[in-house]
Amino acid sequence: MRTHDVPRVLHVLHALNRGGVEKWLLDVLRSTPPGSWSTEFLVHTTEPAAYDAQARALGAVLRVGPDTRQPLRYVSRLRQLLLEHGPYDVVHSHLHLFSGFVLRAAHRAGVPVRIAQSNTTEPVSGAGRTMYAALMRHWIRQHATHRMGISAQSAAALFGADWRTQPHTGILHCTLDFSAYARLAPRAALRQELGLPGDRIIIGHVGRLDPVKNHRFLVEAFAELVRLGVDAQLLLVGTGPLESAVRRHVDALGLTPRCTFAGGTDHVAPFFGAMDLMLFPSVYEGLALAPLEAQAADVPVLASHAVPPEAEVVRERLHRLPLEAGPGAWARVARQILATARLPDRAAAAGALQASRFGVAQSIEHMARLYGATLPDTAPPPRAAPPPPSRLREAVP
């Protein structure tokens, strides 16, 4: 029985570092009407993370969870933590397969709403990993009251191909506040502000320098584009474990003068606004927010099939091409997209994203229903009409 006025919600994740899910949760925290529910984060590191200070400034409590490297002790220790700091009304786990441990502990601690969120389509390989995945999926079925994916692909990856027929299983999209994209300065001014060449085509990417983002393929596609005669500059926004390797690869291809490493930042909108085209050759994704942000800036995107079709909002701005086509084909398609470019209409694009299922108001409304929370009496946010099935463009090399 609740002993407090509003639901207490505990989000469980690795750390509040820069990433799509973390950015979504911060935008939800920033945009949720006061008094709707209280937010806490359970992280699994004692190292400071990029969003820790922002979360605390917005009123969230951060706690450090048990050591995930000791799974046999994890459930009992997390149950103890939940009882010590509770009672919690909701435990919302974003740890994919490891959510089995989290929700088993939450069930034993008497938490009434226990949500498993699938935020990725990362494949499972190897006998040991397959056995672990089977046990975790069993525990999720046994202990979760709700199972949510951020896309149809991510839901299928964790809950099975029949997820649509399972009770209390559905989609809870990652969402953002896209309003800043409507207020961006003109492209030329942004390039000057960011120190980017004003006379070159800007090919951009925003994302962690991590194997899943496939930067090696990205650099090779960019090299092919330059060989085709396109006077272009590569803009890479983000940091990560592969930064040194990517820099070496860029240098080996003689592209260092044509590549800008912008580093990590919480303010990515100006970088999107400076781009002519974004390349996004991820190996796998749950949803991917960067292509949505590019569309909010009315920038065309050439993405791999890891980005689900439902991520297209602005008509004909998302193009998809299989990685198997190779860097040369990606370069040829990129050149075709650039040749048919139109002037951006950022106000319309940002408005379309804000009103779509990926606007932050939509997930706040959905989360309120899941959490049993009451939002202030306001008119419901506008819902975008579903896209026509033939709208998504499959790029042809």
Side-chain angles (χ1 to χ4, degrees):
M1 188 170 109
R2 185 182 299 171
T3 59
H4 34 270
D5 294 333
V6 299
R8 289 185 66 196
V9 178
L10 182 69
H11 289 280
V12 183
L13 62 168
H14 291 294
L16 281 172
N17 281 316
R18 291 187 182 99
V21 171
E22 295 80 5
K23 189 173 184 178
W24 162 48
L25 295 177
L26 261 289
D27 265 16
V28 167
L29 181 59
R30 189 177 292 110
S31 304
T32 300
S36 300
W37 63 81
S38 68
T39 298
E40 300 182 26
F41 293 103
L42 185 77
V43 298
H44 291 84
T45 178
T46 57
E47 295 293 322
Y51 293 151
D52 286 357
Q54 289 186 51
R56 291 190 177 101
L58 291 167
V61 175
L62 271 67
R63 305 190 189 281
V64 177
D67 191 341
T68 57
R69 295 169 298 180
Q70 298 179 340
L72 297 180
R73 300 179 180 179
Y74 185 90
V75 170
S76 61
R77 289 181 175 179
L78 179 57
R79 175 182 176 274
Q80 182 180 354
L81 184 151
L82 294 173
L83 291 173
E84 179 182 350
H85 296 287
Y88 290 100
D89 301 290
V90 181
V91 167
H92 192 155
S93 178
H94 303 271
L95 294 181
H96 201 59
L97 289 168
F98 201 83
S99 293
F101 283 107
V102 173
L103 300 182
R104 185 178 176 89
H107 197 176
R108 290 182 174 181
V111 178
V113 179
R114 305 175 297 276
I115 303 169
Q117 180 93 29
S118 178
N119 298 321
T120 183
T121 58
E122 181 179 3
V124 174
S125 60
R129 186 73 177 169
T130 300
M131 291 176 62
Y132 164 74
L135 175 61
M136 292 301 100
R137 290 187 173 108
H138 172 70
W139 280 1
I140 288 170
R141 286 193 299 271
Q142 191 174 41
H143 299 292
T145 59
H146 302 79
R147 294 171 292 274
M148 296 288 130
I150 58 172
S151 66
Q153 291 179 185
S154 68
L158 186 57
F159 311 130
D162 64 341
W163 65 270
R164 290 181 176 84
T165 66
Q166 298 174 24
H168 308 294
T169 304
I171 302 298
L172 174 58
H173 288 299
C174 282
T175 60
L176 293 176
D177 178 359
F178 295 101
S179 58
Y181 289 89
R183 303 188 297 270
L184 284 174
R187 185 180 290 165
L190 289 172
R191 291 181 180 182
Q192 183 176 9
E193 176 188 334
L194 299 171
L196 297 170
D199 56 348
R200 282 181 173 170
I201 297 293
I202 303 296
I203 306 297
H205 182 274
V206 176
R208 184 169 168 79
L209 277 76
D210 187 86
V212 66
K213 300 299 183 182
N214 208 7
H215 282 82
R216 185 176 186 87
F217 185 100
L218 170 65
V219 170
E220 291 174 356
F222 177 76
E224 292 291 337
L225 187 63
V226 172
R227 289 191 192 103
L228 292 174
V230 178
D231 186 15
Q233 184 83 8
L234 182 60
L235 170 63
L236 300 178
V237 182
T239 59
L242 292 187
E243 183 170 344
S244 295
V246 174
R247 286 182 180 273
R248 288 194 299 269
H249 191 47
V250 166
D251 191 56
L253 294 175
L255 295 172
T256 297
R258 289 185 175 272
C259 186
T260 300
F261 286 84
T265 177
D266 295 334
H267 304 289
V268 295
F271 291 97
F272 283 108
M275 296 177 192
D276 293 288
L277 172 67
M278 185 172 82
L279 297 184
F280 203 77
S282 290
V283 178
Y284 59 83
E285 292 282 353
L287 174 64
L289 291 180
L292 296 172
E293 292 181 272
Q295 290 175 77
D298 208 14
V299 172
V301 181
L302 178 57
S304 69
H305 284 181
V307 176
E310 62 208 86
E312 193 211 16
V313 177
V314 180
R315 184 179 295 274
E316 297 184 349
R317 279 315 207 191
L318 180 63
H319 310 254
R320 300 199 312 160
L321 193 63
L323 293 174
E324 293 76 14
W330 274 62
R332 292 191 295 274
V333 171
R335 184 173 63 169
Q336 292 170 10
I337 295 170
L338 291 168
T340 59
R342 58 173 172 78
L343 290 175
D345 184 351
R346 290 179 183 147
L353 266 295
Q354 196 77 326
S356 77
R357 53 188 160 184
F358 302 111
V360 68
Q362 307 298 341
S363 61
I364 289 173
E365 186 181 284
H366 192 170
M367 292 160 101
R369 292 196 297 271
L370 289 172
Y371 300 165
T374 302
L375 296 174
D377 290 331
T378 57
R383 293 187 179 276
S390 61
R391 201 171 89 178
L392 186 69
R393 295 183 64 187
E394 180 72 16
V396 179

